[in-house]
Amino acid sequence: MNDLMQKIVSLAKRRGFIFPSSEIYGGFSSCYDYGPLGVELKNNIKRAWWQNMVWSRADVVGLDSSILMSPKIWEASGHLSAGFADELVECKACHKRFRKDHVETPTCPECGGEFTAPKKFNLMMKTYAGVTEDESNLAYLRAETAQGIYVNFKNIVDTMRVKIPFGVAQIGKAFRNEITPGNFIFRTREFEQMEMQFFINPQPDKKGKTVKQWFEYWKKERMKWYKGHGINARNLQFRKHKKDELAHYAKAAEDIEYNYPFSSGGGSASGGGWGELEGIHDRGDWDLSNHAKHSGEDLTYFDEGANKKYIPNIIETSAGADRSTLVFLLDAYQEEEVKGEKRVVLKFHPKIAPIKIAVLPLVKNKPKLVKFARRVYEDLIDTFPVMYDEVGSIGRRYRRQDEIGTPYALTIDFESLEKYTVTLRDRDSMKQTRHKVAELQDLLQDKLGG
Ligand code: GAP
């Protein structure tokens, strides 16, 4: 594993962000658990996405559909056929299996053995929903959250008075039996998606806006979101899918790629570490037409403005919550030299940082200081995610907060007792300024963006 990735994996474990799953049983391949700071980080990412995609827009509503759904949905969507399968090759000598498009050598990269001919391997995860494990109870864990949105299209149109163009957003777990999971939380078999399906008129709408223009609009919106939440623009790019790599449902697709410190493999990488972070897809009417055909339901939409019925065209934005978490960690990680010592700091955007403020009494063996600090902490805890820390030297405590990306630290010292003030240390500049306790709420609201 690359040096930076090793540092991220180790920091994530050491500081309570991400643990390997089932560790006391020796682990469970490619599964991870989010620890106390990891769950805050991932929730902040999901909340920031929801705020941007749902709360701040009049034309997008939310949904939370079930993971287990009728297997007929996956037949209709094409996920049970060859379209949702990767090519698998097996080494005849060591029997290791690889995704064909992820191996760069003609023979096994592990032992040099000869490969078998490639065969198609479907990625849908099977389970049984019911008390007998037979075909009649066969079910699938959803491979994308999108299908839950399509099968609720009619429900949403009938209940929410939404008018095209409108979108439906959903965050939730998805599962794929990946042949080669890896690179920590980049590619796993259980992961979370943040998807939005935007339903539009397949013909230019009243304002003359075409499918292609909506596609471009959503590309820009999504790129803006990553940049606006602190991801370095130099590490982001678009990449258009070639015709032969389009997913079975897509008429056009572009990825937002990130410059990872590893090669994510396959046709998706445009060289070096560039690899997929999010996909923007023009799915045409593939999904709704197929669901209409397989279910027998009329999924056409009557457009009053255009005075006609049609099956809407769909523009999809499909991001991974776990992959985004990895990107936010990688992009925030910095090592700096401070007075001859190495400082490791996660420079998260304040909205993304798991803990916003640390409250630190200068020393812990002075009851008056500790009492004061506890009061400051308790005054803030209802409004912000705050951490109280009195263990170790003040320098070590600053380093600890830097390493978990806390934007601000409040230190309570002897002057605090006399003047009812605290010092506020800025994580990035490390500058300290003194403020009245009475002004802290407003000041921090201001600095943390409400
Ligand atoms: N609904 C369309 C769809 O699922 P996708 O390109 O297969 O499109 C979208 O996946 C996003 O989901 C990816 O860009 C990635 O962020 C995330 N994703 C997909 N497979 C993943 C996996 N095995 N592990 C982690 N994240 C994954």
Side-chain angles (χ1 to χ4, degrees):
M1 195 185 276
N2 156 287
D3 191 36
L4 174 59
M5 276 301 279
Q6 264 175 12
K7 287 176 179 168
I8 293 289
V9 173
S10 142
L11 186 153
K13 168 92 199 289
R14 189 160 31 87
R15 292 293 184 207
F17 282 92
I18 301 168
F19 309 127
S21 164
S22 320
E23 212 181 357
I24 61 167
Y25 287 98
F28 192 68
S29 170
S30 110
C31 291
Y32 293 91
D33 298 336
Y34 286 78
L37 293 187
V39 66
E40 298 294 342
L41 174 64
K42 193 170 159 190
N43 279 346
N44 289 346
I45 293 168
K46 291 191 282 182
R47 197 176 302 113
W49 183 89
W50 195 264
Q51 181 178 30
N52 181 254
M53 298 295 276
V54 183
W55 291 339
S56 70
R57 303 188 62 106
D59 57 356
V60 178
V61 293
L63 181 77
D64 182 10
S65 68
S66 64
I67 290 174
L68 294 177
M69 300 190 284
S70 166
K72 290 178 188 159
I73 289 173
W74 302 108
E75 269 165 40
S77 70
H79 282 78
L80 291 180
S81 58
F84 193 61
D86 286 333
E87 287 205 312
L88 176 150
V89 286
E90 187 174 327
C91 171
K92 289 180 182 170
C94 70
H95 299 290
K96 274 216 152 167
R97 292 173 160 198
F98 300 89
R99 218 173 109 171
K100 186 171 170 273
D101 62 339
H102 281 187
V103 277
E104 282 151 7
T105 48
T107 51
C108 175
E110 302 277 321
C111 74
E114 196 188 331
F115 282 135
T116 56
K119 60 178 180 204
K120 285 278 185 186
F121 179 79
N122 191 276
L123 303 182
M124 293 294 294
M125 281 228 194
K126 287 182 188 156
T127 187
Y128 295 96
V131 289
T132 50
E133 293 191 1
D134 60 25
E135 282 294 305
S136 64
N137 280 334
L138 184 62
Y140 299 91
L141 303 185
R142 68 181 174 201
E144 57 171 7
T145 65
Q147 295 303 326
I149 295 180
Y150 306 141
V151 297
N152 278 293
F153 171 73
K154 200 166 156 10
N155 282 335
I156 290 169
V157 170
D158 289 349
T159 56
M160 298 305 295
R161 285 174 284 116
V162 283
K163 297 230 179 314
I164 276 178
F166 76 90
V168 182
Q170 166 155 241
I171 298 178
K173 292 268 186 178
F175 301 82
R176 292 181 193 174
N177 209 359
E178 298 281 1
I179 299 167
T180 43
N183 288 315
F184 195 33
I185 52 171
F186 175 82
R187 183 177 288 108
T188 48
R189 295 192 172 111
E190 170 183 343
F191 55 97
E192 222 169 343
Q193 290 188 311
M194 308 187 287
E195 297 198 302
M196 193 279 309
Q197 314 299 319
F198 203 68
F199 300 91
I200 55 177
N201 189 335
Q203 301 304 321
D205 62 20
K206 264 196 309 206
K207 293 182 183 152
K209 207 156 177 172
T210 61
V211 169
K212 188 149 191 333
Q213 281 168 327
W214 275 117
F215 185 79
E216 291 301 318
Y217 167 82
W218 279 111
K219 266 174 56 188
K220 282 200 198 101
E221 282 296 294
R222 295 302 306 137
M223 184 61 104
K224 204 161 77 189
W225 184 80
Y226 289 107
K227 291 181 184 168
H229 288 84
I231 304 297
N232 191 330
R234 276 202 311 272
N235 289 328
L236 293 165
Q237 70 175 18
F238 286 114
R239 192 184 68 86
K240 199 172 173 170
H241 282 214
K242 295 186 210 96
K243 275 260 168 318
D244 64 352
E245 57 173 309
L246 286 174
H248 63 279
Y249 50 73
K251 285 169 88 174
E254 271 192 54
D255 289 340
I256 293 178
E257 289 195 328
Y258 184 76
N259 192 9
Y260 298 97
F262 51 81
S263 161
S264 58
S268 65
S270 60
W274 290 104
E276 180 177 348
L277 167 59
E278 166 163 353
I280 322 292
H281 309 130
D282 171 4
R283 295 180 74 131
D285 65 0
W286 165 270
D287 300 278
L288 289 182
S289 291
N290 278 314
H291 286 308
K293 199 158 78 196
H294 283 73
S295 67
E297 280 284 335
D298 178 8
L299 296 180
T300 50
Y301 171 86
F302 179 67
D303 188 326
E304 285 167 19
N307 195 26
K308 66 175 181 187
K309 264 183 156 189
Y310 53 76
I311 297 252
N313 193 108
I314 290 163
I315 303 294
E316 168 182 68
T317 68
S318 177
D322 308 272
R323 206 170 279 187
S324 298
T325 303
L326 176 61
V327 163
F328 276 101
L329 277 167
L330 285 168
D331 216 72
Y333 185 91
Q334 288 192 22
E335 288 178 8
E336 295 170 356
E337 178 123 342
V338 179
K339 292 182 193 152
E341 269 187 48
K342 187 171 91 174
R343 168 172 106 116
V344 171
V345 53
L346 288 178
K347 292 193 172 173
F348 288 130
H349 185 286
K351 245 190 185 168
I352 300 299
I355 304 291
K356 314 293 179 199
I357 304 153
V359 175
L360 318 170
L362 188 65
V363 285
K364 76 163 179 180
N365 54 359
K366 297 285 174 201
K368 279 189 178 165
L369 273 192
V370 168
K371 196 170 164 204
F372 194 112
R374 295 288 318 177
R375 211 175 316 138
V376 170
Y377 167 71
E378 270 144 32
D379 281 352
L380 296 174
I381 191 85
D382 279 344
T383 325
F384 308 98
V386 192
M387 188 182 272
Y388 177 83
D389 187 4
E390 58 179 26
V391 180
S393 74
I394 192 72
R396 280 192 61 185
R397 280 180 278 159
Y398 285 147
R399 295 288 169 273
R400 219 159 31 221
Q401 294 301 327
D402 288 344
E403 243 194 334
I404 63 170
T406 308
Y408 299 105
L410 300 174
T411 308
I412 287 80
D413 56 15
F414 294 101
E415 200 177 323
S416 304
L417 301 180
E418 284 168 28
K419 300 194 176 149
Y420 222 64
T421 56
V422 299
T423 62
L424 179 137
R425 175 186 179 269
D426 181 291
R427 174 197 67 200
D428 298 344
S429 67
M430 291 185 287
K431 285 215 174 89
Q432 300 200 20
T433 46
R434 193 163 276 280
H435 302 273
K436 292 196 178 108
V437 170
E439 289 166 5
L440 278 180
Q441 283 274 356
D442 287 349
L443 178 79
L444 290 165
Q445 289 277 10
D446 217 37
K447 284 190 175 291
L448 292 165

